[in-house]
Each structure stands twice: as C-alpha cells, then as structure tokens.
C-alpha cells in the first residue's frame, strides 16, 4: 500500500559535518571494522560545524527520521540549534486584546440578539469586541515587551453561538471553525490579516496561527432510531440528537460502503482506505441538519463520512482519539481525504499570507499517521515558499516527558508546548518547591533529543487560556501573602522561563498582572476596559488598576521586568540558545543554578534563581578555574558586581530572596588540548516506555562537551539519532517502528573545542541491544476495583508502543481458578473486552470473591507480554452520599458540580455551573449537610467540585482540591470538611 501524500518528500537526510580520522581513511569505507573506531581521535573545522548547522536548520527534515550516514567513521557534531530556539512569543486572543474596529463587533450579522451574533461585551463567554485592527493599532505595545512572534488563537470563521440555555456561548475563542478559508468576520477580514502580518514583519515580528485539525464546529447530529413522530418532541424524543454515549470500535466496528468490517488503523493514510456510507458505516447515523448542509468550507468538510461519528469522548482510552470533543465534530483523520484536505487548507495560509508558523491544537487526540504526513508536508510547503525557519509546535496537554516527547519523535512535530515545564515552574516559583526537583526536571530534557529537534525548541509557558494566568496560580497557592510577595513570585517565574532553554511564551495580560479566578472563560479578560462583572472583581498583581479601565501600562512592573529579560537575552544569545548545564540545586526551597554556554564564543554564563523566603548562598562548579565573572542581571538586588572561581573552578554566588542573578565569564573557557575519553555505558529499553531505548555515554573530565549518538539495525547503515550537550549524556532512541527482537547497534562520538579553531573528537565502540516486546497496561478498571455479577464488565487495555498489528487476548480467573480466554481484539489504539460473569456460569459469587483479569499482547514476530489486575465482587450501589461540614453552619447555596459516567444523566441535565449545582437534601443532627447522588454506574468515578453558583474563588465560593472524585462501589459515602481538600472515606472528627 502506498501513502497518499499531496507532495513528494525527498528522503530527509540530516546533514551535519562529517568528522573523519586525522589519518587518511581507507579506500573502502567498509574495510574498517567498527570495533577499531573506539578511542580514535578526530578533528573537524569549526567552519564545517557551523555550515552543517545551517544546512540542518534549512533542511525540511522529518523529525526522528534521519537518513543514513554515508562514508567512514563516527560523526561528532554540535547540538542542533535552529532559528526556532530564539523566539519570544506573545500569545493573544484577538477578541480580548483591543477593539480597533467597532463596526465588526457583530460579525456582519444584522441582529442585536447575542444568541445570534455572539456579541455581548458584558458576558465572558461571548465576543467582547477585539479584532485584528486592534492588534495592528497596538503593535508598539507588543514590540515594547520584546516580542519576536505573535501567536494568535484560531482566527478562522466560527459558528457564532453553540449550545442552549445556560450552556450557550459564543465562538470568540476561535475553536469552533466552520470556514477554514476566511478570517472570522468578528475579527476582521483576510485583508486585515495580510495587513497585520505585513506590519508585524516590518518590525521583525513573526505571526503564528493557532490551527485545528482534530475537529470542526458542532454541526453533525445523529438520527434518533427511537423517534416517535406521534409523541411530543422533548429532550429524548427528537428526530436528531446532539450527541450520544461513545460506542467503541470493538463493540461496533467500522464497515465500508459494501458492509465489510475493517479497522481504520490498518489502512490509515493509504490508498486502501475504503469509501464509507453514512447510513451503514458508523454506530450512529450522522446527518447535517436543515440549514447547515453546506455551512462548512471547504466543501469536503460537509461530507459526514469524513468524521468518526462514534459519540462523545470522555478523554480516556480509545475515545480520546475518536470521540467528539465536547460535541465538536471529530474528523476522521485516518482518512487520506482529511489528511490531504488539511494540508491543502493550511498550505494556502502559508503560501498566500506568509504565516510564519503554527501552534497545533489537540495534538494527542489525533492519530500518529496523520502527523507523520501533515508535518513534513507543511514544512515542505513553507520551505518552498521561502520560509526556511517555519516552525510548528503542538498542544499535548500532559506533564510526562515520555508521552509529550512521543510527538516530536514518532509524531514528527518540531516541538510541543512544554506543559511539564509549566508544572515544574509553578511548583518552584509559586509553591516554594524543592530546587532539586527543578534540577531533576531539566536532566530529563534528553527525552526530546533526536536527529532534528531537542528541548531547546520547546515553547515554555506559565499559564494560558485553558489553565489560567500565572497570577491566578500564585494567588491560589499563596492566598494570604499579599501583593508584594505575589509580584516577587510572578517576576521569579518569568525570570526562570526566560533564562532556561526554550522559547518563552507570555500569555496576554500576564504582563499586566492579570489573575482571574480560574481557567477557561475566567482567564480571558480583555486588555481594554471590560464590562464583564466576573472580571471586575479580580485583584491584579503589581497595580491598583482594575479591569474597568484599559490595561496597556508599559510602566507596569511586570511589563518592565519581561521587557528587560527579553533585552538581556537579545544582548546575550547564549542565555536563550546556549547549552544548559545543571550546576547546583538545594534540597528544598533555595537556589537552583545552571550554566548557559555559548559554544561558538566558548563563554560561560551562570544563572542562579532562589525561591526561598531568605537570601541564599551556593558554591557551584564551572568550566574555568580562577576565572573572573561579571554581573549582567540582578544588580538591583545589591549583590556583588564581580565574582571569581577558585583553583577547582568553583564559583560562590549569593542570591536574595525570590530573586535571580546572572554572571558572565570575563573570558572564554580554556581550549581543550585533547578529546576526553568517551564510553557507551548502556543501551536498554527505557523504564517508562517500551518504544524507546535509553542510550547513555560517560565523558571524562569536567569541560564542555557534546556527544553525538548513532544507531543502525545490525548490518545496515548508521543513522544519527541525536546530540546531547549536557551531562548526563544520553538519548532516548525511538524504536517503536521496529519489530520486537530486532538487533540495534549504537555508537557515539564526543566533540570539544580546541585552540586552533578545530573540534577535537573521540569515538566509542559499538554496543548492541534488542528491541523489547511491547508492553501492555489494563487502564480500566483499575487494580483493587469492583465487579458485579448482574451485568457486563468492560475491560480496556493499551499497548506500548501502539501498533495496528498488535493483537490482545483477554482472560479471567475467578476465585483463584484457572485462566480462561474470553475475547481477542486486534483494533487499535485501545483494546476492549466485555465480560459477563453470570453468562459464564458465575451466578452466586459472594461479596469479596476475587476476580482477576489478564491481557496479553502478541505481535506478528511472536513476542508477547501481559498485564494483570485484581478485582472483587461487590453489591451494586444506586445512590452515593456526600456529607459536607461547615463550622459556621452557613450552607447557603453550596452545591455539587458533577460530571462523568457514574451519575444519572437526568441529574446531570439539571446541573449548571452558573446557577444550579446539585443542592443538599438536608442537614443532620451533627450539623453535616447531605447530598444524594443518583447513579447509573457505580464502577465509574463521580467527579465533583463543591462550590456556590458560579463560584470559583477558593475558599470563599469554592472548596479547595480542584477536580475531586470517588468511586461509589468502593466508597458509597464520603465526607468533606470546609477548607480541607481531602476526600474522607470515613467520618472525620470536627468541631
């Protein structure tokens, strides 16, 4: 089968400087055995390395897919840097920034009704009036912040309003697209965008688009098979339904137009993908309702067979990639028509408007095959259009590096938004977390190191439009600290973000101390004077101003601090893209110190950030002995202007409370006279994923070095798999495409700078390893859970790595008995089985009888592995009870916001955040309020937030703990105490 790609992609060869032995190479390169390379000394011109870097930066390489290394000998190279390691992003929602043209506020719709136009400046969920002209008018403000790239939320034409009743809101945010070819009329026109890009480019500022490939606006409805036209129309008796419960591929596979069953992952993106029939191919029958049959542009988007049509996602397992995202129509991204259509759509914006890059929404909800086609094709279009530094980064909302880095290796994206950094930065700057945790965090950057990308490209951020402002986190974590402390922590968080690796992203309003009371709509305040009541109560950091007035203050302390950091990193580029080396970290709050190293200039910077409430001093190693350092940042802290290392290269720095200092070496580091020893220490499957091999090297000495790793399938050609420029030296090689048992060989070479303008190198021998069998995890139900004998039991498993060729067999053991196979599933990405104990003959099992399930994955090569979980038989629970205690006994309208598959849908239908959380049924004699929750599935989690209507201020109108949950079959009753985030499963003492 052949891939259906819109462009022909040349094999991507990541060409870096070839490092040859100082002695002449043999005429036949294959004549030199790999073993003889160990310890060999090489040299390379600095000019060669620089030229190779430029070539690699310009090449439209496929991430993680380097070409073969030609010729003889190991290659040592500099760690990759491209133009995408030096951006200062300003992330802005056009509707909320500035209203430059009030005539477009209603989007050209001739109505004053907000439910039609979507415009209502008094409501946070509607268009407030900002537009592209407003951005153009205030480019001075954006430029003054040190911005080099504007990142716009999606600006394409949206469905103006979606939802009904209290769930109605507008598409001001841009994520409900109907027309992918024009700017939303509320924001302006295509010509306005072209003018904005032209004006920004004249200032040296790039413009990035936020794009969506996962879904469109909510248009598609499902035919109701139970509709009775003779009865009154109501929520359940309607001809067309807004959505439905997710139906798995295992229980209802896809069928082609001829009725033949197929697994889409087996043919994803190929010419074997079949034609589908809307009436027979899907578990639901999708239709475009009258009046919206051709609302989407381009026209192919109106074909309902180009969507998954499996019901609503709950964001777990298979349905995370196939279900409708809050009802939004989920595109069938495995279909080559969709792949090519999206490439065509966004290629036009690159070619015709000069867009400089993309932030890609909901990446983890789309299959890998889509990204493997889309990313290289979009890059080629950009490069052909003359945009050699075009840059794309994806939103992967997760904080685990093995998962997020999957999309820069197997997924072939250039970068992902650094959600793990956001979590680490908040812990350090806002929560006074351990400096040692921050050091460990950066040591794991090696997950991102591959042939054409690394952690230096990652966009870093502190808050966003979904999570909330960094100011909100700081106030929530330190509710009684006061403005001076909040401001210091906010500055510290930005100092950390600007001075560590990556591209810093400022979420608009952070520079004005915006806070808010939560995420989503509560974090989308206008910079122009607001009329939204919920925003007017916000307590901004660093100012007495409110949202009732414009907030474009270039004298705001946070605006000035961010501008100063941008100027500092512009003056000293090493602070943005120099190698980052951990130097010191306190156990607990205190100093985290690191070096940034300019490889070309060979000059070291030392950065020390202190999150402690007291001044701290640390002594840390550097690359140079008895060398002078000068203070280049932090003079206002009253620290010494100069410092000097001792004979061991140790530097002592003092850092005031919640502050940062930066010292720059007065001279360059001593040039090496010989290459250090280098040895491959191990090559083994990574502990966190079976699809990656952790390859580590040890380098002798303490100087600055860069280690290049290469791999080959035994007997094949060597491929470069990444260069690491800080200790510990390692890469996590992506072997997910290889068959289990495949033998892979590894070697490495170290590069250091010499005093003759050459690079001195030394190579290792060869180390071999085998690709492991895939891993498998049963993700539902969870270990220690419960089962019932009077109904179906659903078991779900995922494999690592995910492959369409995997086959999973499910088995059960009851009361310690023999294992019995009851289902086999070969439909990826998740594997599902339904068991019925009663149907299998287990009808009278007493409570607490153990039942175990096992899932075994097999591959075409015969390798297999298994996972087990243990459950117990329990009686069914039909009502869950929440007990809530307030010492003041003032329960007022405190209620429960509920969601999830456990709760009776009729109960959920009556719950809204703004007006109607579930209210108490009474207060008992001990003063505990009681809430009764009707259930439909006691095996699933009851997810809840305890709050007052529309209340999101902890602790005044919302209880702490964020999104909390419990499983009713395990604990049918729980107890909550005001101000305590703990979910108690037994009644605690109060009073």
């Amino acid at each position: 089968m052949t891939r259906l790609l819109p462009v022909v992609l040349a094999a991507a060869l990541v060409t870096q400087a070839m490092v040859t032995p100082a002695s002449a190479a043999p005429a036949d390169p294959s004549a030199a055995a790999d073993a003889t390379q160990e310890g060999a000394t090489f040299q390379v011109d600095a000019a060669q390395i620089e030229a190779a870097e430029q070539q690699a930066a310009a090449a439209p390489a496929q991430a993680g897919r380097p070409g073969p290394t030609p010729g003889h000998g190991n290659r040592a190279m500099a760690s990759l840097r491209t133009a995408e390691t030096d951006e200062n992003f300003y992330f802005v929602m056009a509707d909320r920034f500035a209203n430059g043209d009030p005539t477009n506020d209603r989007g050209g719709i001739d109505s004053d009704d907000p439910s039609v136009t979507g415009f209502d400046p008094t409501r946070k969920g509607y268009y407030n009036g900002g537009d592209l002209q407003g951005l153009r008018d205030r480019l001075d403000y954006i430029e003054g912040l040190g911005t080099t790239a504007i990142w716009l939320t999606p600006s394409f034409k949206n469905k103006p309003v979606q939802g009904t009743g209290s769930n109605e809101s507008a598409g001001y945010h841009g994520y409900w697209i109907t027309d992918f070819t024009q700017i939303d009329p509320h924001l302006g026109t295509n010509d306005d965008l072209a003018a904005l890009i032209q004006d920004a480019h004249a200032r040296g500022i790039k413009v990035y688009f936020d794009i969506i490939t996962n879904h469109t606006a909510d248009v598609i409805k499902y035919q109701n098979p139970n509709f009775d036209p003779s009865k009154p129309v109501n929520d359940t008796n309607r001809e067309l339904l807004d959505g439905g419960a997710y139906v798995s591929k295992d229980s209802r596979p896809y069928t082609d137009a001829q009725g033949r069953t197929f697994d889409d992952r087996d043919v994803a993106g190929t010419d074997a993908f079949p034609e589908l029939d809307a009436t027979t191919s899907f578990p639901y029958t999708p239709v475009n309702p009258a009046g919206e049959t051709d609302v989407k542009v381009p026209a192919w988007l109106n074909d309902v067979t180009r969507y998954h049509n499996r019901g609503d996602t709950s964001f777990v397992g298979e349905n995370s990639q196939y279900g409708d995202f809050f009802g939004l129509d989920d595109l069938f991204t495995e279909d080559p028509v969709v792949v090519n259509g999206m490439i065509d759509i966004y290629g036009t914006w690159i070619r015709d408007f000069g867009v400089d890059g993309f932030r890609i929404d909901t990446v983890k909800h789309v299959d890998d095959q889509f990204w493997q086609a889309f990313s290289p094709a979009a890059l080629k279009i950009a490069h052909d259009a003359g945009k050699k530094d075009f840059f794309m980064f994806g939103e992967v909302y997760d904080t685990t590096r093995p998962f997020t880095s999957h999309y820069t290796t197997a997924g072939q994206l250039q970068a992902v938004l650094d959600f793990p950094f956001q979590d680490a930065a908040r812990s350090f700057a806002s929560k006074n977390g351990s400096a040692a945790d921050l050091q460990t965090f950066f040591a794991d950057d090696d997950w991102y190191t591959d042939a054409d990308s690394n952690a230096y490209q990652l966009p870093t951020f502190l808050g966003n439009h979904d999570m909330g402002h960094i100011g909100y986190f700081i106030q929530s974590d330190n509710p009684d600290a006061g403005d001076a402390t909040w401001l210091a922590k906010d500055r510290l968080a930005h100092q950390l973000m600007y001075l560590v690796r990556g591209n810093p992203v400022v979420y608009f309003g952070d520079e004005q101390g915006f806070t808010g009371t939560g995420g989503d709509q509560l974090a989308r305040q206008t910079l122009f004077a607001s009329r939204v009541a919920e925003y007017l109560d916000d307590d901004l950091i660093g100012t007495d101003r409110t949202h009732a007035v414009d907030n474009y203050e270039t004298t705001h302390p946070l605006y000035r601090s961010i501008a100063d950091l941008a100027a500092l990193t512009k003056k000293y580029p090493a602070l943005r893209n120099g190698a980052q080396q951990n130097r010191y970290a306190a156990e607990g709050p205190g100093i985290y110190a690191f070096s940034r190293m300019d490889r070309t200039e060979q000059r070291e910077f030392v950065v020390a950030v202190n999150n402690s409430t007291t001044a701290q001093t640390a002594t840390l190693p550097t690359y140079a002995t008895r060398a002078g350092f000068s203070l280049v940042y932090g003079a206002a802290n009253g620290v010494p202007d100069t410092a000097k290392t001792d004979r061991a290269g140790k530097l002592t720095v003092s850092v005031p409370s919640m502050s940062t200092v930066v010292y720059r070496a007065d001279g360059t580091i001593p040039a090496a006279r010989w290459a250090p020893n280098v040895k491959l220490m191990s090559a083994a499957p990574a502990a966190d994923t079976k699809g990656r091999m952790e390859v580590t090297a040890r380098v002798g000495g303490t100087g600055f070095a860069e280690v290049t790793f290469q791999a080959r399938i035994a007997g094949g050609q060597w491929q470069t798999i990444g260069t690491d420029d800080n200790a510990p030296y390692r890469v996590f090689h992506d072997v997910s495409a290889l068959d289990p048992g495949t033998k892979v060989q590894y070697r490495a070479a170290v590069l250091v700078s010499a005093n003759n303008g050459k690079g001195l190198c030394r190579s290792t021998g060869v180390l071999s390893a085998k690709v492991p069998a895939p891993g498998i995890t049963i993700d539902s139900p969870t270990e220690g859970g419960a089962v019932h004998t009077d109904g179906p039991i659903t078991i779900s498993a995922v494999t690592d790595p995910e492959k369409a060729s995997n086959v999973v067999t499910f088995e059960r053991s009851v009361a310690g008995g023999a294992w019995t196979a009851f289902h086999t599933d070969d439909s990826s990405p998740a594997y599902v089985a339904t068991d019925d104990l009663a149907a299998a003959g287990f009808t009278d099992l007493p409570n607490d009888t153990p039942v175990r399930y096992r899932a075994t994955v097999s591959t075409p090569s015969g390798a297999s592995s298994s996972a087990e979980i243990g459950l117990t038989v329990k009686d069914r629970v039909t009502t869950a009870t929440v007990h809530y205690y307030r010492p003041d006994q003032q329960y007022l309208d405190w209620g429960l916001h509920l969601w999830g598959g456990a709760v009776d849908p009729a109960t959920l239908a009556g719950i809204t955040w703004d007006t109607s959380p579930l209210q108490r049924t009474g207060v008992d004699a001990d003063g505990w309020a009681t809430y009764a929750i009707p259930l439909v599935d006691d095996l699933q989690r009851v997810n809840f937030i305890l709050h007052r209507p529309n209340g999101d201020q902890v602790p005044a109108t919302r209880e702490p703990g964020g999104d909390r949950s419990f499983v009713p079959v395990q604990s049918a009753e729980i107890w909550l105490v005001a101000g305590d985030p703990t979910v108690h499963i037994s009644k605690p003492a109060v009073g």
Side-chain angles (χ1 to χ4, degrees):
M1 294 181 290
T2 59
R3 292 284 175 190
L4 294 182
L5 298 179
V7 292
V8 178
L9 299 177
L13 178 61
V14 181
T15 51
Q16 298 275 1
M18 184 71 178
V19 180
T20 55
S23 57
D28 178 7
S30 63
D34 290 317
T36 65
Q37 296 296 315
E38 183 170 12
T41 299
F42 302 81
Q43 70 177 21
V44 62
D45 289 332
Q48 284 181 285
I49 296 177
E50 183 177 356
E53 278 190 302
Q54 293 173 354
Q55 190 176 11
Q62 300 180 46
R65 296 293 184 273
T69 300
H72 166 70
N74 288 14
R75 298 195 309 175
M77 67 177 93
S79 173
L80 181 68
R81 297 293 187 277
T82 67
E84 296 84 43
T85 60
D86 196 21
E87 299 290 1
N88 298 328
F89 282 97
Y90 188 68
F91 173 33
V92 61
M93 186 171 285
D95 176 66
R96 302 301 167 94
F97 183 73
N99 192 347
D101 182 7
T103 65
N104 61 29
D105 287 351
R106 291 173 175 78
I109 300 172
D110 187 15
S111 173
D112 292 328
D113 184 352
S115 67
V116 176
T117 68
F119 174 68
D120 187 342
T122 69
R123 298 164 73 180
K124 64 183 186 296
Y126 287 74
Y127 288 94
N128 281 191
D131 49 36
L132 298 181
Q133 183 61 49
L135 280 163
R136 291 182 67 196
D137 292 343
R138 292 197 176 269
L139 282 175
D140 283 347
Y141 173 87
I142 295 173
E143 184 179 15
L145 201 59
T147 301
T148 64
I150 297 170
W151 156 18
L152 287 170
T153 51
S155 301
F156 309 108
K157 184 177 180 180
N158 267 232
K159 194 171 187 179
V161 179
Q162 287 189 176
T164 58
S166 61
N167 292 320
E168 180 187 275
S169 64
Y172 67 95
H173 42 67
Y175 293 96
W176 300 342
I177 302 172
T178 55
D179 188 342
F180 287 77
T181 69
Q182 70 164 303
I183 294 298
D184 192 302
H186 293 83
L187 306 181
T189 66
N190 288 15
D191 288 341
D192 289 330
L193 174 69
L196 171 63
I197 293 175
Q198 182 178 11
D199 290 353
H201 285 178
R203 297 168 180 261
I205 298 175
K206 299 175 182 177
V207 177
Y208 281 67
F209 257 23
D210 200 326
I211 68 168
I212 305 166
T213 63
N214 177 64
H215 58 263
T216 69
D218 181 9
V219 173
I220 294 174
K221 309 301 178 187
Y222 298 147
Q223 285 188 349
N224 183 359
N226 300 315
F227 174 64
D228 186 345
S230 67
K231 296 181 179 179
V233 175
N234 54 41
D235 285 345
T236 56
N237 188 44
R238 286 181 296 153
E239 185 176 4
L240 299 180
L241 302 174
D242 286 335
Y246 183 81
V247 179
S248 72
K249 293 202 300 179
D250 180 66
S251 61
R252 173 61 167 86
Y254 285 116
T255 58
D256 65 17
Q258 285 72 46
R260 296 170 297 201
T261 297
F262 75 101
D263 183 1
D264 57 288
R265 291 298 172 93
D266 290 340
V267 292
T270 73
D271 56 8
F273 198 94
E275 288 297 318
L276 306 180
D277 186 323
T279 62
T280 60
S281 292
F282 305 95
Y284 293 99
T285 301
V287 295
N288 289 322
E292 295 187 294
T293 56
D294 59 356
V295 71
K296 296 178 185 177
V297 181
W300 64 266
L301 289 165
N302 296 301
D303 182 348
V304 295
T305 69
R306 306 305 176 190
Y307 298 83
H308 282 132
N309 300 318
R310 305 203 71 90
D312 298 326
T313 182
S314 62
F315 304 101
V316 295
E318 173 187 296
N319 72 54
S320 180
Q321 292 190 0
Y322 285 83
D324 287 352
F325 199 89
F326 295 111
L328 299 171
D329 300 345
D330 199 70
L331 282 159
F332 212 139
T333 49
E334 294 81 3
D335 183 343
V337 171
V338 176
V339 178
N340 294 338
M342 283 294 162
I343 292 170
D344 289 341
I345 285 170
Y346 293 117
T348 298
W349 289 100
I350 297 170
R351 286 187 296 259
D352 294 355
F353 290 86
V355 174
D356 298 291
F358 295 147
R359 178 269 194 185
I360 308 174
D361 186 60
T362 52
V363 162
K364 70 178 182 180
H365 300 289
V366 176
D367 60 294
D368 284 354
Q369 291 92 335
F370 179 92
W371 300 124
Q372 290 163 0
F374 181 90
S375 180
L379 282 176
K380 186 177 188 304
I381 291 170
H383 293 165
D384 289 348
K387 290 199 166 290
K388 301 303 182 184
D389 58 352
F390 192 85
F391 183 45
M392 294 182 292
F393 55 95
E395 179 214 25
V396 182
Y397 204 149
D398 195 279
T399 59
T400 55
R401 250 73 66 85
F403 183 77
T404 56
S405 66
H406 168 85
Y407 293 92
T408 62
T409 52
Q412 298 189 32
L413 293 175
Q414 291 163 289
V416 292
L417 275 167
D418 200 348
F419 279 90
F421 170 81
Q422 191 280 334
D423 184 62
R426 177 185 178 183
S427 295
F428 180 79
S430 181
K431 296 181 177 181
N432 294 94
S434 172
D437 290 344
L438 202 55
Q439 177 172 265
T440 300
F441 169 82
F442 285 112
D444 280 343
D445 277 350
D446 297 330
W447 281 98
Y448 295 102
T449 301
D450 59 33
D452 64 355
S453 63
N454 52 40
Y456 295 98
Q457 293 176 208
L458 301 177
T460 54
F461 67 101
L462 301 171
N464 65 23
H465 60 319
D466 291 327
M467 306 171 72
H469 289 281
I470 180 60
Y472 162 67
F473 298 133
I474 289 170
Q475 287 186 340
S476 298
D477 297 336
N478 309 273
D480 301 318
D483 192 66
T485 298
W486 295 334
L487 179 59
K489 287 179 173 291
D490 210 327
R491 276 180 167 147
L492 185 68
H494 281 92
Q495 288 163 351
L496 179 67
M497 179 173 70
Y498 266 79
L499 296 172
V500 298
R501 90 295 183 272
N503 297 290
V505 179
V506 173
Y507 177 44
F508 84 105
D510 281 356
E511 76 280 9
Q512 297 293 330
F514 283 15
T515 54
T517 55
D520 197 70
Q521 294 179 8
L522 295 167
R524 298 171 182 178
Q525 300 86 345
T526 56
L527 279 184
F528 55 95
S530 178
R531 295 166 54 193
V532 176
E534 293 96 323
Y535 296 158
L536 300 183
D537 291 335
D538 290 354
D539 183 5
L540 279 63
I541 293 175
T543 180
D544 293 329
R545 299 173 71 86
T546 72
H547 289 297
V549 298
D550 289 353
N551 283 280
Y552 305 100
E553 292 300 303
T554 57
T555 58
H556 190 288
L558 286 170
Y559 184 100
R560 293 299 342 138
S561 180
I562 293 169
D564 290 345
L565 287 164
L568 177 72
T569 57
K570 181 177 181 180
K571 182 177 181 180
Y572 301 116
L575 293 172
R576 288 302 311 280
N577 56 26
Q580 179 173 320
Q581 179 66 61
N582 285 333
R583 290 303 192 188
Y584 174 89
E587 294 291 341
I591 291 175
Y592 166 61
F594 55 96
S595 290
R596 299 302 302 268
M597 181 68 189
D598 186 316
R599 181 183 53 78
T600 302
E601 190 179 351
Q602 293 290 296
R603 191 183 300 271
E604 182 176 8
F605 290 76
V606 173
V607 182
V609 290
N610 176 20
N611 70 341
S612 172
T613 56
T614 60
Q616 299 288 311
T617 299
T619 299
L620 48 99
T622 71
Y623 290 124
T625 61
R626 295 180 175 176
F629 281 77
S630 297
L631 186 72
V632 296
Y633 184 82
N637 295 323
V639 296
D641 291 336
T642 61
K644 190 174 183 178
T645 61
D646 62 17
R647 62 190 301 174
K650 298 292 185 67
L651 182 72
T652 298
V653 296
S654 295
V655 190
S657 168
M658 291 186 286
S659 297
T660 300
V661 298
V662 181
Y663 284 92
R664 176 177 182 260
D666 295 336
T668 59
I669 65 172
R673 293 188 293 173
W674 54 80
N677 291 324
V678 59
K679 181 179 178 63
L680 277 182
M681 301 303 296
S682 64
D688 297 302
T689 172
K690 300 296 185 182
R692 307 283 280 275
M693 297 289 286
E694 182 176 0
V695 188
T696 62
R698 185 177 63 195
V699 176
T702 58
F704 175 63
E706 299 169 278
V707 177
T708 297
F709 295 85
Q710 293 184 314
R712 70 175 182 183
I713 297 175
Q717 291 182 300
W718 289 103
Q719 296 183 354
T720 296
I721 57 174
T723 297
D724 190 9
D725 62 8
N726 56 69
Y729 299 97
R730 60 180 177 169
V731 293
F732 289 88
H733 180 213
D734 178 19
V735 294
S736 59
L738 301 178
D739 291 332
T742 300
K743 184 178 179 181
V744 184
Q745 294 179 314
Y746 295 97
R747 68 183 185 184
V750 62
L751 170 67
V752 295
S753 177
N755 58 10
N756 60 355
K758 304 287 186 178
L760 295 177
C761 313
R762 193 181 298 268
S763 60
T764 70
V766 175
L767 201 58
S768 297
K770 287 187 177 181
V771 176
I776 185 168
T777 302
I778 297 177
D779 57 359
S780 179
T782 57
E783 176 69 30
V787 295
H788 302 309
T789 59
D790 63 345
I793 304 160
T794 300
I795 304 95
S796 175
V798 292
T799 62
D800 172 31
E802 173 204 326
K803 288 185 178 180
S805 56
N806 289 342
V807 178
V808 173
T809 300
F810 293 89
E811 300 171 276
R812 92 168 78 78
S813 168
V814 178
W819 287 101
T820 302
F822 65 91
H823 186 71
T824 297
D825 186 7
D826 62 359
S827 61
S828 63
Y831 303 85
V832 181
T834 301
D835 192 21
D836 189 324
L837 291 175
F842 301 101
T843 56
D844 297 314
L845 297 175
N847 266 1
D848 299 325
T849 298
V851 178
R852 298 193 65 79
Y853 286 99
R854 183 166 69 188
T856 301
V857 56
S858 301
T859 73
S861 63
S864 64
S865 56
S866 62
E868 293 185 17
I869 58 164
L871 311 172
T872 54
V873 173
K874 295 289 184 184
D875 291 332
R876 192 174 296 278
V877 176
T878 59
T879 302
T881 304
V882 174
H883 304 276
Y884 174 45
Y885 184 83
R886 293 187 63 84
D888 61 9
Q889 296 292 288
Q890 297 298 308
Y891 292 105
L892 303 175
D893 48 5
W894 284 89
L896 292 168
H897 187 69
L898 301 169
W899 70 95
V903 184
D904 186 341
T907 298
L908 292 178
I911 294 174
T912 64
W913 180 269
D914 291 345
T915 61
S916 305
L918 182 71
Q919 293 297 302
R920 63 188 179 278
T921 55
V923 179
D924 67 19
D926 294 333
W928 289 83
T930 301
Y931 301 79
I933 305 174
L935 305 173
V936 293
D937 188 349
D938 62 341
L939 298 174
Q940 296 195 54
R941 287 190 171 274
V942 174
N943 303 287
F944 70 91
I945 296 172
L946 185 56
H947 73 126
R948 299 185 67 186
N950 207 33
D952 207 13
Q953 186 66 49
V954 177
T957 59
R958 173 174 170 169
E959 287 294 345
D963 298 351
R964 295 184 283 178
S965 66
F966 64 99
V967 180
V969 74
Q970 297 173 351
S971 302
E973 294 185 87
I974 63 166
W975 285 260
L976 308 173
V977 180
D980 180 1
T982 306
V983 177
H984 298 274
I985 60 174
S986 60
K987 187 175 181 179
V990 294

